[in-house]
Amino acid sequence: MLLQDGKKLLSCNNYFCVKTKTDYMQNLKLIFALTLFCASFFTDVFAQKKENISEDYRRSSLCVMLVEEPRMPMADTIKDAFVTLPMPDKYNDHNIGERIINSADAMFVLTERDKELFEEACRPDEGDTTMVVPSGKKMSGLFFGTGNTTSSSSAVSADDFAKVINRYLVDNKVAKQLVDGWFISDDSLFTMEKVKERGLYAATVLDVETAKKSARGMAMLEDAGEELISNTFVVVSRYNYISKDELVESISTAMRAAASAANNAYVNLGVNAAILALKASLGAGYYVKSTSYLFKLRWTPEISHLFYSDLWDNMEAYEKSDMFSLRYVGSETAWANVKEGIFTDKTTSELIRIATINSTDAVVAKLAKRYDVFKTKTPLVVTEDGEMYAYIGTKEGVEGGDKFEVLERVEDPESGKTHYFRRGVVKVDNSQIWDNRYAADEELKLKGKEQEFKYTKFKGQANKYYSGMLLRQIK
């Protein structure tokens, strides 16, 4: 994230510290920016299901998993809520069979092998400029590992916990399970049905061109690999049930530690102001906090070539192959209030379920904002009177003034490959941001209010765009 003076927030020992000069005015800018940044973390997060909307574009595919930690507070309730979580909007459901990691205390004992596996998971692919977390760096962001859990894992650092999760994913061949989801049918046969469906290919074109091994068929397979299969992700989350006081205390401790590391009096002042803002903004009661780790399926041109040339239609060779793996991208943390004072007609379990959904949506949105590789696209709608809008909102972390690039999808008629061209930039109109957080409409009705719109409005040169172009957030 960039501050107003262009300096970056750096991660130091699981917390954010600030790279700044000693100049007085720049420190003032820093205080202001840091305060706004921290305050943005402190809003309650709610999400809402929306009606199905026909959206003809290629989405990233997502598998979500849960770490069930020993003696985790409200573990059964949170686990039950997780099992029924709706897939976050803008992603295809690519869940595998077993999605709950039943951890024991022994799981958190690290070995040299774990470190080596994590080094490999952090290795970027050739030509990949995506942010990769190097071993030894703690990139989980602010406020990691706080809460009232008494499990031995609470003493494990962010970086070490990422190693623990990575080991599980490797040992259980989760990467291969994701590839299974793309190419193996229910009756254990090779199929291109999911690639055709998600790639928006005509019903028979891909099969025919691939069978002929034509230049166009190979280009289409390359196209599918670049935009579909390589954009397959795993988000592994650990949840915690924590009171407001514990949340405030743990966050305050983390922020003061970061300020101390920065060794800057002005930063200390900014942190104190942010802590006051936190106390004022957080509602009373309990919160469900989610810390999530993002992994990406490796699908390079080399892997694609070996798959189609050596493994396709050879189930024995495919089952023995160990060439599939995941790359670690990074992590984020978010939380949602358990609204006991509002939904008086709901049980505690129902309220925790709502908060679990909210915190999951929020952390996925923060991962998408932080890591370019995980950013999603969404269709733009342009009306005859020049209004522009999209069916995204607060659930996706949209805020007034956010910038989105407008992309035009063009398919090469010769090769069948898809290309995206940037046609301009639009901004979110602060006057009309859709509150699509889960149960938001229900909460508003209890307050005697009602939303008048179901979309977010954008500002820009509408005459340059048309409905069906895609939006992708930029920094």
Side-chain angles (χ1 to χ4, degrees), residues 5 24 57 96 162 177 191 209 232-233 256 283 306 310 330 342 362 371 373 475:
D5 60 357
Y24 177 76
Y57 68 102
I96 61 177
Q177 292 185 59
T191 176
E209 296 294 343
T232 305
F233 298 91
R256 290 192 176 105
L306 287 172
D310 297 350
I342 296 175
Y371 301 106
V373 69
K475 295 177 180 178

Side-chain angles (χ1 to χ4, degrees), residues 295-358:
F295 294 80
K296 181 178 183 290
L297 179 67
R298 292 189 194 271
W299 191 264
T300 63
E302 291 76 17
I303 292 174
S304 176
H305 174 75
L306 287 172
F307 174 77
Y308 290 116
S309 63
D310 297 350
L311 304 184
W312 183 260
D313 271 346
N314 186 341
M315 188 59 71
E316 182 179 0
Y318 173 73
E319 291 297 339
K320 291 180 179 179
S321 174
D322 60 356
M323 72 178 185
F324 306 115
S325 63
L326 296 170
R327 181 167 67 79
Y328 180 56
V329 179
S331 64
E332 269 291 1
T333 297
W335 53 82
N337 188 212
V338 179
K339 297 279 189 175
E340 293 180 303
I342 296 175
F343 297 106
T344 56
D345 61 332
K346 298 186 183 297
T347 66
T348 300
S349 294
E350 290 174 318
L351 294 174
I352 291 176
R353 178 180 181 273
I354 293 172
T356 302
I357 294 172
N358 296 338

Side-chain angles (χ1 to χ4, degrees), residues 213-264:
K213 292 190 175 180
S214 66
R216 185 177 185 222
M218 295 302 101
M220 292 173 74
L221 288 176
E222 181 183 341
D223 179 52
E226 287 176 357
E227 194 181 353
L228 291 175
I229 304 165
S230 66
N231 285 331
T232 305
F233 298 91
V234 180
V235 170
V236 184
S237 298
R238 54 188 307 209
Y239 293 90
N240 200 3
Y241 184 71
I242 183 171
S243 71
K244 172 189 173 178
D245 291 342
E246 289 170 309
L247 184 59
V248 171
E249 178 59 31
S250 60
I251 292 172
S252 300
T253 300
M255 292 172 66
R256 290 192 176 105
S260 177
N263 193 27
N264 187 305

